[in-house]
Amino acid sequence: MSRIKLVFLYLLALFFVMAGINHFVTPEFYLRIMPPYLPYPSLLHQLAGAAEILLGGLVLVARWRRLAAWGLVMLLLAVFPANLHVALNSHLYPDFPVVLSWARLPLQLVFLAWAWWYTRPDPA
């Protein structure tokens, strides 16, 4: 793996582990943005946080990297509706800047591509 790809791997892992920990430090934020049509919001947000921690750590383990990266891709796709819900219903979140709610959507695509990068085998 190239040095730059390795640096970005550690940054990806750090981001997801910290984001996962944040689910348990500030659960009220995540519970507020949970779309109302999803059942068991507390359980879903805890599962998302635990998955971020687990997958963020496993992406650093060579043996599990590709599987963990695919898990991160799937997780990002799974949480996209919550981010879209916030952007489309900004009136429900007056303390969350509208521009940030919309900026999160393309940023999530960047993270999706970033995680996908590690699903690809490195050239020998």
Side-chain angles (χ1 to χ4, degrees):
M1 179 179 308
S2 72
R3 190 170 299 199
I4 191 114
K5 191 170 182 180
L6 185 62
V7 168
F8 276 101
L9 175 66
Y10 280 96
L11 289 173
L12 181 73
L14 179 65
F15 173 81
F16 275 99
V17 169
M18 296 305 294
I21 290 170
N22 197 45
H23 273 262
F24 299 99
V25 173
T26 58
E28 58 280 347
F29 171 78
Y30 297 95
L31 290 170
R32 274 193 34 236
I33 67 169
M34 187 72 66
Y37 54 82
L38 293 175
Y40 311 107
S42 183
L43 175 64
L44 289 176
H45 116 79
Q46 289 173 1
L47 288 173
E52 287 176 344
I53 294 167
L54 178 66
L55 296 170
L58 283 177
V59 81
L60 294 175
V61 181
R63 178 181 181 154
W64 295 100
R65 182 166 300 133
R66 289 183 72 199
L67 184 61
W70 277 117
L72 290 172
V73 166
M74 289 186 278
L75 179 65
L76 286 162
L77 291 172
V79 300
F80 191 81
N83 292 330
L84 185 60
H85 170 77
V86 172
L88 292 174
N89 297 286
S90 59
H91 62 282
L92 299 175
Y93 310 97
D95 56 331
F96 196 77
V98 174
V99 69
L100 286 181
S101 65
W102 283 101
R104 286 176 67 172
L105 301 177
L107 184 61
Q108 192 164 357
L109 296 176
V110 169
F111 275 99
L112 198 133
W114 190 0
W116 179 81
W117 191 24
Y118 296 99
T119 68
R120 315 307 315 146
D122 280 325

